[in-house]
Amino acid sequence: MGTGKPAERFCLGIESTADDFGVGVAAFDGKILANVTDGYVPEAGGIHPREAARHHSEVADKVLSEAFAKAQLKPKEISLVAFAQGPGLGPCLRTGATVARALSAYLGIPLVGVNHSVGHIEIGKLQTGAQDPLTLYASGGNTMVTAYASGRYRIFGETLDIALGNCLDVFAREAGIKNQKGTPLGAAVELLAAKGEKLVSLPYVVKGMDMSLSGLLTAASAALKKGERLEDVCFSLQENAFSMVTEVTERALAHTEKKEVLLTGGVAANKRLQSMLEVIAGEHDAKFSVVPQKFATDNGAMIAWTGALAYMNGLTTPVEESFVKVRWRVDKVDVPWVKTL
Ligand code: ATP
Ligand code: FE2
């Protein structure tokens, strides 16, 4: 006879949508037991997808072993393997998917394909306790305002061109801003912006519920070439870009009447963006929360936790349906685990 103690259940999650290869382990009750990431740093310029994918395959075994050690679990104690199935860069996604399929087959446990954007939202909710928030998800590849309605996260507004993080990163590269290894360029822009004193005139483009950031990026780079101080341009770029996303978030908040606002994705680390959103949330009597920094940028824990949620609600991904989805919008994903009040 056993002791009657139910077996604990754990999900291992693999994140490899872009420059980071991450492995997380989540218990089915929401405890995060491990969250290990190894980032690919390009020699120069932006991410080269095939080089990033090569990095991921080179570090996969090391990151996996570290995650098992951190979680103090043996591979056979894992009940489920989740992987980021999209959206993201094809070669990077395929590397993570291959590792996930191999583990699932070897261990004889189910596989779950997770939408990366849903992962950013779910880890934000788990870490902050938000139940049914209006979420601004702002990262290097995505900028959208979403909220749950009728079975899915619906998009209320989004960028029409480049993402907020990408806008900051490209500006920083064009301006020759150097960051320390391991610190994001967006964070370097934030530091410079804090020393800005003058608001340089730059475009502000909100169309309906969507925003456009590419003209702002071009104008910011041009202002620098015309002799404006770097600190002032960083400050003005942030003020304009963040005001645009805050305006859209506020209008979505007024429309949906949600009582919580959640900021998630890599750009969530930015204190100025946090303070702008905190103000509009307060004006609408909504509780504002921000995903903690270590779960803001891409990480395996968010994939592990979202995989556990999906599995506990009866969803798995048969291997023949585990092909990666480079453009997989958040509003195409059923999220049957979401329960609103
Ligand atoms: P996604 O696939 O979700 O679009 P991603 O690969 O861009 O994600 P994230 O790790 O979610 O990855 O976000 C990275 C972005 O966050 C980068 O553009 C980076 O510059 C930005 N970022 C990080 N810290 C800050 C900060 N303090 N201020 C502004 N931007 C930041
Ligand atoms: Fe991301």
Side-chain angles (χ1 to χ4, degrees):
M1 288 285 284
T3 59
K5 186 171 173 256
E8 288 194 87
R9 313 293 297 269
F10 305 104
C11 178
L12 179 133
I14 297 176
E15 159 58 37
S16 72
T17 55
D19 52 343
D20 291 321
F21 184 82
V23 176
V25 179
F28 281 19
D29 65 1
K31 246 187 246 101
I32 302 299
L33 305 181
N35 191 26
V36 183
T37 307
D38 192 305
Y40 153 77
V41 183
E43 298 276 312
I47 306 172
H48 189 299
R50 279 199 309 277
E51 275 177 26
R54 187 179 328 130
H55 160 270
H56 297 347
S57 56
E58 281 167 10
V59 301
D61 64 340
K62 183 194 80 170
V63 177
L64 274 168
S65 323
E66 269 180 49
F68 281 120
K70 196 88 212 291
Q72 298 190 319
L73 289 173
K74 295 191 187 70
K76 66 174 190 325
E77 291 175 285
I78 297 290
S79 338
L80 169 73
V81 179
F83 69 104
Q85 196 171 1
L89 305 171
C92 301
L93 285 167
R94 280 190 283 277
T95 306
T98 304
V99 175
R101 283 185 209 108
L103 269 175
S104 150
Y106 179 72
L107 297 169
I109 54 176
L111 188 65
V112 179
V114 166
N115 179 286
H116 175 89
S117 310
V118 172
H120 274 291
I121 299 170
E122 292 302 344
I123 198 73
K125 287 166 62 185
L126 176 72
Q127 295 297 322
T128 62
Q131 299 282 319
D132 181 26
L134 180 80
T135 303
L136 170 60
Y137 159 39
S139 62
N142 290 279
T143 300
M144 62 177 80
V145 178
T146 75
Y148 177 83
S150 315
R152 292 186 179 177
Y153 289 115
R154 309 287 168 179
I155 301 175
F156 288 87
E158 62 188 322
T159 178
L160 294 168
D161 39 54
I162 55 172
L164 191 50
N166 190 239
C167 176
L168 299 171
D169 292 348
V170 173
F171 171 78
R173 277 200 295 273
E174 286 180 2
I177 296 173
K178 294 272 174 287
N179 55 334
Q180 286 181 329
K181 190 175 180 285
T183 29
L185 281 168
V189 172
E190 180 177 15
L191 284 177
L192 288 160
K195 295 185 206 136
E197 287 159 359
K198 173 181 155 196
L199 198 56
V200 178
S201 171
L202 295 173
Y204 182 101
V205 187
V206 173
K207 294 182 183 166
M209 287 293 284
D210 297 324
M211 55 246 154
S212 159
L213 293 158
S214 64
L216 172 62
L217 168 62
T218 310
S221 297
L224 199 61
K225 288 194 190 98
K226 271 195 222 124
E228 296 287 356
R229 274 177 73 228
L230 178 61
E231 291 84 350
D232 293 337
V233 180
C234 289
F235 169 65
S236 311
L237 174 64
Q238 279 201 173
E239 290 304 297
N240 268 39
F242 296 170
S243 301
M244 283 153 65
V245 295
T246 302
E247 179 191 328
V248 170
T249 309
E250 178 170 22
R251 283 164 45 203
L253 190 58
H255 173 73
T256 59
E257 298 183 339
K258 297 279 181 187
K259 288 290 153 226
E260 297 161 298
V261 176
L262 172 67
L263 174 59
T264 193
V267 189
N270 192 290
K271 294 276 184 292
R272 179 63 184 137
L273 178 59
Q274 291 174 13
S275 73
M276 284 192 190
L277 290 166
E278 190 165 17
V279 170
I280 57 118
E283 283 168 2
H284 290 263
D285 290 325
K287 184 172 177 284
F288 175 64
S289 45
V290 186
V291 69
Q293 180 131 22
K294 67 176 167 175
F295 297 111
T297 45
D298 291 348
N299 63 86
M302 70 187 198
I303 304 302
W305 172 235
T306 309
L309 286 171
Y311 181 74
M312 287 187 282
N313 283 271
L315 300 178
T316 57
T317 305
V319 89
E320 61 277 13
E321 286 169 27
S322 67
F323 48 83
V324 304
K325 303 176 185 180
V326 171
R327 279 178 249 286
W328 190 18
R329 279 169 68 84
V330 70
D331 54 3
K332 294 281 179 284
V333 186
D334 290 327
V335 290
W337 57 85
V338 178
K339 291 166 190 67
T340 52
L341 300 173

